Amino acid sequence: MVRLSMDLIAKSSSHFKKRRSRSLSQYLKSLTHLNFSNKNIEDIDDLSMCRNLTVLYLYNNQITHISNLSFASNLTHLYLQNNNIYCMENLSSLQNLSKLYLGGNSITVVEGLEQLRGLKELHLENQRLAPGEKLLLDPRTLLSLAESLCVLNINNTNTDEIKDLAVLKELQHFSAAENKLHDIEELEDVFSQWPRINRVDLSGNPVSNKPKYRDRLITVCRRLEVLDGKEIGELCRQFLINWKASKEAKNRLKDERLVTGKFISYPLTSKSLNHIVVVGAHAAKLSLPERWAAEQYG
């Protein structure tokens, strides 16, 4: 078994050269960045002498348990993607952690982050889940991250609903591609509660094939700049917002007329028929973009 230990750090050629005339103890205390990715590491040993560590790279290993990191109170970045981790544990002491990378593991429940109130990025994509399983997020963890989390990546995690994520008021980037999201109304409701959201990726979900999917999300998210990898032009946004406002105003007026009894239908006469012909002739002269807009939103 390969264990990440102080002895392994000391024997590493890249670190041995950096020690120069310092003792091992002095060197370990001075370390801020430690990179042992792609080293077949299976376990994390006692690294408490590395008390000034801020960035730890352990991706592409064979780690099954998150352990022996309680000393790392200064850690801000932790890279544990593509390991064999199945349980989120022993992270509560990392209170200065800003970015946590756990993609490509076997995690089914996102939990134990209640003390990480400064966490800004959480990456959980591509979990290796059993058939029928989906990634679950503990409501207590979500609530604790409500005022800090800016980036959430849950690509390819069999996610089929996101209503519990509405509490993440500071979210700016949300990636949930290649999942099973299908309810456009749920998306509109949740996105309307994310005032800062500006980048979303839902490609590969059933909902992305629904009529006016893109238009509806653009009108809900006023700050959205990129949706499914495609930039949103300000002209397009304003057109859709104005169209939606106009449509809602017409519907309100129609409802008021129905309630007050002032809605009057007129019989089709030769004069009104002539008017329809004139309007039709005018529509034929419209440019292609104008005709498209008239057909889509008229």
Side-chain angles (χ1 to χ4, degrees):
M1 174 186 288
V2 182
R3 298 171 67 90
L4 176 60
S5 63
M6 288 184 280
D7 188 47
L8 183 65
I9 297 172
K11 290 178 179 177
S12 169
S13 58
S14 60
H15 288 279
F16 183 78
K17 291 175 184 177
K18 293 177 183 177
R19 282 177 59 185
R20 297 180 182 174
S21 59
R22 287 180 292 179
S23 68
L24 176 60
S25 174
Q26 290 174 326
Y27 176 68
L28 292 173
K29 288 177 182 177
S30 70
L31 274 178
T32 57
H33 290 62
L34 193 58
N35 189 342
F36 273 84
S37 56
N38 251 320
K39 302 292 185 182
N40 290 317
I41 291 170
E42 298 175 54
D43 198 14
I44 305 170
D45 208 343
D46 179 13
L47 301 176
S48 55
M49 290 190 72
C50 306
R51 58 192 181 200
N52 289 311
L53 207 59
T54 58
V55 180
L56 179 56
Y57 298 96
L58 289 173
Y59 57 87
N60 294 344
N61 281 300
Q62 304 297 322
I63 297 169
T64 56
H65 293 85
I66 303 172
S67 59
N68 291 320
L69 292 179
S70 58
F71 74 93
S73 57
N74 292 315
L75 203 65
T76 59
H77 295 58
L78 179 56
Y79 297 81
L80 283 167
Q81 63 268 44
N82 300 325
N83 278 281
N84 295 320
I85 299 166
Y86 60 88
C87 180
M88 292 179 64
E89 56 188 349
N90 303 319
L91 292 167
S92 59
S93 60
L94 309 181
Q95 296 184 16
N96 285 311
L97 201 64
S98 173
K99 298 182 181 182
L100 177 57
Y101 294 81
L102 285 167
N105 282 286
S106 300
I107 297 167
T108 55
V109 181
V110 180
E111 58 187 346
L113 304 181
E114 287 79 10
Q115 302 304 315
L116 277 58
R117 296 187 177 272
L119 193 67
K120 293 188 178 299
E121 296 190 20
L122 182 55
H123 300 263
L124 299 158
E125 72 283 358
N126 301 321
Q127 296 300 320
R128 297 187 293 272
L129 303 171
E133 277 190 326
K134 64 179 179 179
L135 184 68
L136 301 174
L137 290 91
D138 187 338
R140 292 169 297 182
T141 282
L142 289 174
L143 196 58
S144 68
L145 300 177
E147 301 300 324
S148 67
L149 199 66
C150 300
V151 178
L152 178 60
N153 184 343
I154 54 171
N155 290 346
N156 191 27
T157 52
N158 292 333
T159 299
D160 56 7
E161 60 180 18
I162 61 167
K163 58 186 177 182
D164 291 341
L165 304 183
V167 298
L168 302 175
K169 306 295 184 184
E170 296 299 312
L171 208 59
Q172 297 176 26
H173 296 180
F174 178 59
S175 293
E178 304 301 329
N179 278 302
K180 298 178 180 178
L181 297 171
H182 61 278
D183 190 339
I184 185 68
E185 285 78 16
E186 180 192 66
L187 293 182
E188 287 178 308
D189 179 54
V190 173
F191 287 3
S192 68
Q193 299 179 64
W194 292 344
R196 300 181 183 276
I197 195 73
N198 59 53
R199 187 179 292 266
V200 171
D201 188 359
L202 300 175
S203 56
N205 281 274
V207 71
S208 63
N209 295 319
K210 294 204 171 182
K212 304 234 177 14
Y213 150 79
R214 188 175 175 85
D215 299 346
R216 291 174 69 168
L217 293 188
I218 291 172
T219 56
V220 167
C221 309
R222 299 299 177 93
R223 291 192 177 186
L224 200 59
E225 297 174 1
V226 179
L227 176 58
D228 298 347
K230 297 178 181 178
E231 291 189 6
I232 299 164
E234 192 56 35
L235 211 59
C236 172
R237 185 200 315 280
Q238 285 305 316
F239 172 76
L240 291 171
I241 290 172
N242 293 340
W243 163 76
K244 184 181 180 183
S246 174
K247 186 176 180 181
E248 289 174 349
K250 287 178 181 178
N251 288 336
R252 282 197 301 271
L253 182 60
K254 184 178 179 180
D255 291 342
E256 288 172 6
R257 286 175 174 173
L258 287 171
V259 170
T260 58
K262 293 181 179 179
F263 186 80
I264 303 172
S265 61
Y266 295 94
L268 187 64
T269 63
S270 58
K271 184 177 180 180
S272 59
L273 188 60
N274 288 334
H275 176 70
I276 292 171
V277 171
V278 170
V279 170
H282 171 70
K285 298 177 183 177
L286 295 176
S287 66
L288 282 176
E290 289 171 332
R291 262 196 272 173
W292 177 84
E295 291 169 2
Q296 295 290 315
Y297 306 106

